[in-house]
């Protein structure tokens, strides 16, 4: 018993080390500070209404009116009943944010290496190499928390798969089911999709290996077990998956009915995102060298070049004070690649890449090939429009690939595969499978390849012009002398980081050389390489995410401040919408959603029809459309350039009776008709709408006398109550966004059908007399999904207890 406990002591110490390292890197959290993340700021603005509602009522709302006229909260942090896997995730993320995600990076990778039966010291070293990969730190800096969350669980999923293929069926099944459930629960389906691509590569490598070893029965048995584990993990996240699947069809990721763009040009028919949008962020082929040399292409879009720079001297030469020149130097446009914006290079590490190349010569078998295959696939796909034939093939023929944008982010697979294989270079160095002569030969080749590449880049600086895609803008703004200074600073970055990489490669090679010559022990090699890897990666990481990113907690939790226009509008306690077009309001795209029911907001997957309405009409300030959306206030700059709340007296109100229903032939006709439609008198719908056609056959014109009224009496995000008075049968239009998968209408407590009119709004016939009309958001998908999640949780618990009992009994 005592011996068994001793086996766990190194692992406990490693985990404690991960906690300490995570807190040390993000040490301001120990003082109560929080990291300022731009995307989280937008999220707070978008989700404030639903959170306030939860605090006030204790009830979760799955609809918010605060942004884009109204939308489901499924991708805004909605909480679902019986989502117990989320509670487990909260237990694992016990550290303050973002140290919790860094800890997850470490522990997930460590678990994978335990499944691969690697010594704990190498496993810990690999965890540090993975967790401190620059891209993984950068996404924490900007607030891509769900992406970081999903990436962190990737190694754990792979660990479950590896255990299963190693014939540890019970532990493999349980770990895969739990890890995959956590992966899905992170709610970044793009990262989960990329993980699936890597698993397919792994599966092919294992299939070839099983065929060669005549172990196909075991292979297919393992696959069967893993399929059941994945099904169970899907069940544990049923509500989230079902709600997302339902919403995607109605979002910008679904298929549009339009065949024209807002400018009148033909629209390319697609069931997913537009190709230009998908490939907007495509990694440059040459730019990929910054995986090895961090500021090969200048680093981030803007970098601090410091006092000893040509840019600083340029501004001093213009008469700027030293402080002014330093401030300008902090925002030097050093990046000279082709991507629109780059926060930082996706640097993997010179030491890690050196070990990866070394592993290519030392490691054999299926492990090597699925890791190399995954890395190559990841790199090629990240090039996007720079490798059109492959990208087009995946967009056109690979299911779901066209649902995701920013193809450069698939490099997360490369950032996972390379550290894994790199650590196996050490595994092979430390065992006796190969002779020292073979290891020395591999070391020589690895050093020549990586060191030679760094040296070639250093002496080949003349091959590059250091000209960026946005340089014409800087030329126009500051002139040729400024641009010349910037390019010289780019060259200085290039040379300095290339020399840095070359030195790190030679030092790493030297450590291994002395080990092979019996001058260093295994422990000293691991320690020395650990110091080099941490120095290498953390040194680059701190350029972009450091203590300066942290602010007081109140600045993160309440990132927006109301300006006088906001304050004036907030005095109006009725139900209306606000359109903020002021350039001086400040706060970013989600600020208006923080204070008001806004026409705009910040979200990667808006309702598709509403997004089209934005492009065709709202962004063009079409008053007919603004009126039908009950836009009572428009925040615009006054003569002094300050935000002012202009009252729109022509807003249609919350609901109104129309005099006429008109059908149009297509979605194109419907959205174009809104340009001149008298929305107070006429409502339009597509001729394909059977419900509206039946309504129109019954009544085409409606008598609307001066006493007819429909008034909003009560409003919540998920509930609206109106009272109508009309001496005639009528048809009412409501200034609320139509979403048929959840919103139900009731007249005097009885269910009544309603449908979409005016492209995005709700409309329904109202009988004569006095009536109470209610709209309730009652998504069936939440009810069904929660039941499935509860059943799956019970099944997992029983399987967990049964599996552990079986293993203990067997032992």
């Amino acid at each position: 018993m005592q011996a068994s406990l001793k086996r766990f002591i190194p692992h406990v110490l490693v985990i404690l080390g991960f906690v300490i390292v995570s807190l040390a890197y993000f040490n301001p959290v120990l003082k109560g500070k929080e990291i300022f993340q731009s995307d989280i700021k937008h999220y707070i603005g978008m989700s404030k209404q639903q959170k306030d509602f939860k605090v006030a009522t204790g009830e979760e709302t799955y609809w918010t009116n605060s942004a884009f006229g109204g939308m489901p909260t499924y991708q805004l942090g909605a909480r679902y009943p019986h989502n117990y896997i989320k509670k487990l995730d909260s237990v694992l993320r016990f550290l303050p944010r973002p140290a919790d995600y860094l800890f997850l990076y470490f522990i997930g990778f460590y678990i994978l290496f335990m499944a691969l039966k690697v010594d704990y010291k190498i496993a810990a070293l690999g965890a540090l190499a993975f967790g401190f990969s620059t891209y993984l730190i950068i996404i924490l800096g900007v607030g891509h928390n769900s992406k970081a969350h999903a990436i962190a669980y990737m190694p754990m999923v792979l660990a479950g798969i590896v255990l299963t293929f190693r014939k540890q069926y019970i532990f493999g099944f349980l770990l895969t089911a739990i890890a995959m459930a956590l992966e899905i629960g992170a709610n970044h389906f793009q990262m989960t999709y990329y993980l699936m691509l890597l698993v397919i590569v792994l599966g092919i490598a294992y299939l070839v290996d099983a065929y060669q070893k005549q172990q196909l029965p075991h292979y297919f048995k393992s696959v069967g077990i893993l399929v059941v584990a994945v099904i169970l993990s899907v069940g544990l996240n049923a509500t989230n998956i079902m709600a997302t699947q339902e919403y995607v069809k109605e979002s910008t990721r679904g298929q549009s009915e339009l065949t024209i763009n807002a400018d009148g040009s033909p629209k390319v028919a697609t069931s997913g995102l537009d190709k230009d949008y998908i490939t907007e962020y495509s990694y440059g082929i040459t730019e990929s060298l910054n995986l090895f040399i961090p500021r090969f292409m200048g680093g981030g879009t803007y970098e601090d070049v410091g006092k000893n720079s040509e840019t600083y001297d340029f501004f001093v030469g213009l008469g700027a004070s030293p402080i002014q020149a330093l401030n300008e130097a902090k925002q030097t446009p050093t990046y000279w690649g082709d991507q629109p914006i780059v926060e930082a290079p996706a640097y993997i590490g010179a030491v890690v890449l050196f070990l990866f190349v070394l592993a290519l010569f030392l490691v054999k078998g299926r492990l090597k090939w699925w890791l190399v295959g995954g890395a190559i696939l990841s790199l090629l796909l990240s090039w996007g429009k720079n490798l059109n034939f492959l990208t087009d093939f995946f967009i056109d023929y690979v299911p779901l690939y066209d649902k995701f944008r920013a193809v450069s982010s698939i490099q997360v697979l490369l950032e996972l595969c390379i550290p894994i294989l790199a650590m196996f270079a050490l595994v092979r160095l430390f065992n006796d499978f190969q002779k020292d002569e073979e290891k020395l030969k591999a070391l020589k080749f690895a050093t020549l390849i990586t060191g030679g590449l760094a040296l070639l880049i250093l002496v080949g600086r003349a091959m590059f012009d250091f000209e960026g895609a946005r340089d014409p803008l800087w030329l126009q703004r500051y002139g040729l002398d400024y641009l010349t200074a910037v390019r010289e600073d780019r060259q200085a970055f290039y040379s300095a980081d290339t020399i840095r990489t070359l030195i790190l490669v030679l030092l790493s090679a030297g450590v291994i050389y002395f080990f092979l010559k019996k001058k260093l022990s295994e422990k000293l090699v691991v320690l020395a390489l650990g110091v080099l890897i941490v120095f290498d990666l953390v040194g680059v990481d701190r350029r972009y995410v450091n203590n300066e990113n942290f602010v007081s907690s109140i600045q993160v939790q309440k990132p927006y401040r109301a300006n006088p226009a906001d304050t004036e509008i907030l005095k109006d306690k009725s139900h209306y919408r606000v359109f903020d077009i002021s350039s001086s309001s400040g706060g970013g795209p989600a600020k208006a959603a923080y204070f008001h029911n806004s026409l705009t907001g910040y979200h990667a997957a808006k309702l598709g029809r509403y997004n089209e309405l934005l492009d065709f009409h709202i962004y063009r300030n079409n008053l007919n459309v603004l009126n039908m959306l009950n836009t009572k206030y428009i925040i615009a700059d006054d003569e002094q350039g300050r935000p002012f709340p202009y009252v729109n007296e022509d807003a249609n109100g919350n609901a109104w009776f129309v005099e006429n229903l008109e059908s149009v032939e297509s979605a194109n006709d419907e959205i174009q008709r809104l340009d001149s439609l008298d929305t107070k008198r006429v409502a339009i719908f597509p001729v394909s709408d059977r419900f509206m056609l039946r309504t129109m056959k019954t009544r085409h014109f409606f008598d609307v006398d001066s006493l007819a009224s429909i008034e909003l009496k009560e409003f919540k995000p998920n509930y609206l109550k109106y009272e109508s008075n009309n001496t005639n049968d009528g048809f009412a239009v409501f200034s609320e966004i139509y979403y048929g998968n959840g919103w139900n209408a009731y007249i005097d407590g009885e269910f009544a059908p309603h449908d979409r009119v005016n492209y995005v709004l709700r409309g329904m016939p109202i009988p004569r007399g006095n009536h109470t009309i209610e709209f309730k958001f009652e998504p069936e998908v939440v009810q069904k999904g929660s039941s499935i999640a509860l059943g799956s949780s019970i099944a997992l618990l029983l399987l967990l207890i049964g599996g552990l009992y079986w293993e203990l009994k067997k032992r």
Side-chain angles (χ1 to χ4, degrees), residues 719 745-752 771-774 776:
Y719 177 78
Y746 301 85
I747 298 179
D748 299 330
E750 298 291 329
F751 177 81
H771 299 283
T772 298
I773 301 102
E774 296 171 291
K776 301 177 183 179

Side-chain angles (χ1 to χ4, degrees), residues 5-24:
L5 289 175
K6 279 187 175 181
R7 286 169 43 210
F8 289 100
I9 291 176
H11 304 305
V12 172
L13 292 177
V14 167
I15 292 170
L16 287 174
F18 290 159
V19 171
I20 293 169
V21 171
S22 300
L23 291 174

Side-chain angles (χ1 to χ4, degrees), residues 385-613:
K385 60 188 175 185
N386 299 311
L387 195 65
N388 263 325
F389 77 91
L390 183 64
T391 300
D392 289 346
F393 175 82
F394 269 73
I395 290 174
D396 294 337
Y397 299 108
V398 177
L400 302 179
Y401 191 80
D402 62 349
K403 303 295 183 184
F404 307 111
R405 64 185 291 261
V407 293
S408 60
S409 62
I410 199 173
Q411 283 193 357
V412 297
L413 300 184
L414 180 148
E415 285 144 9
L416 172 59
C417 293
I418 286 180
I420 296 173
L421 192 56
M423 292 305 107
F424 268 89
L426 297 182
V427 173
R428 299 293 291 191
L429 276 172
F430 295 159
N431 64 34
D432 298 324
F433 293 157
Q434 289 160 298
K435 297 178 181 179
D436 285 351
E437 292 78 10
E438 294 177 4
K439 295 174 184 177
L440 280 168
K441 186 177 180 181
L443 175 62
K444 180 178 72 173
F445 284 137
T447 306
L448 286 173
I449 291 170
T450 53
L453 177 61
L455 188 61
L456 178 63
I457 291 171
L458 182 63
V459 300
R461 193 173 71 173
M463 293 187 296
F464 306 104
D465 56 18
F466 298 92
E467 294 181 4
R470 302 182 69 186
D471 281 3
L473 173 66
W474 309 121
L475 178 64
Q476 184 179 10
R477 183 175 298 180
Y478 294 118
L480 181 60
D481 289 343
Y482 171 76
L483 198 55
T484 301
V486 168
R487 287 174 181 167
E488 289 183 11
D489 288 333
R490 290 170 180 169
Q491 292 178 43
F493 272 7
Y494 171 100
S495 298
D497 274 11
T498 303
I499 293 171
R500 178 184 187 273
T501 288
L502 180 59
I503 292 172
L504 286 167
V505 165
L506 295 177
L507 287 173
S508 303
V511 168
I512 294 173
Y513 176 80
F514 283 116
F515 166 74
L516 293 174
K517 292 298 181 179
K518 314 301 182 186
K519 303 293 185 182
L520 293 175
S521 66
E522 289 183 12
K523 289 182 180 179
L524 284 177
V525 170
V526 172
L527 179 62
L529 290 176
V531 170
L532 288 173
I533 286 172
V534 171
F535 169 81
D536 181 13
L537 291 172
V538 173
V540 175
D541 295 343
R542 299 294 284 184
R543 295 174 182 174
Y544 306 100
V545 181
N546 49 54
N547 292 8
E548 294 180 5
N549 296 81
F550 286 81
V551 296
S552 65
S553 179
I554 191 68
Q555 287 178 265
V556 173
Q557 298 303 322
K558 296 183 177 180
Y560 299 100
R561 299 289 179 267
N563 58 41
D566 296 318
T567 303
E568 184 63 28
I569 293 172
L570 289 170
K571 294 177 182 177
D572 188 340
K573 303 301 181 184
S574 62
H575 188 57
Y576 53 84
R577 291 195 179 86
V578 174
F579 187 30
D580 189 348
I581 57 174
S582 169
S583 60
S584 57
S585 286
K591 176 179 178 287
Y594 186 81
F595 293 107
H596 315 291
N597 290 335
S598 173
L599 293 188
T600 56
Y602 182 87
H603 202 276
K606 302 178 281 292
L607 282 169
R609 278 180 168 259
Y610 189 84
N611 188 58
E612 290 161 352
L613 194 74

Side-chain angles (χ1 to χ4, degrees), residues 688-739:
S688 58
D689 191 325
R690 294 181 180 179
F691 169 73
M692 291 300 298
L693 281 176
R694 287 198 298 270
T695 302
M696 191 170 174
K697 286 179 181 178
T698 305
R699 197 71 183 271
H700 186 76
F701 295 99
F702 299 89
D703 295 325
V704 182
D705 60 40
S706 59
L707 298 177
S709 65
I710 179 166
E711 298 180 2
L712 180 65
K713 295 297 184 181
E714 186 178 347
F715 53 91
K716 301 175 185 177
N718 57 0
Y719 177 78
L720 297 157
K721 180 180 178 181
Y722 305 81
E723 290 184 358
S724 70
N725 179 23
N726 196 347
T727 56
N728 304 300
D729 290 339
F731 189 91
V733 176
F734 302 84
S735 62
E736 303 296 328
I737 303 302
Y738 177 86
Y739 188 76

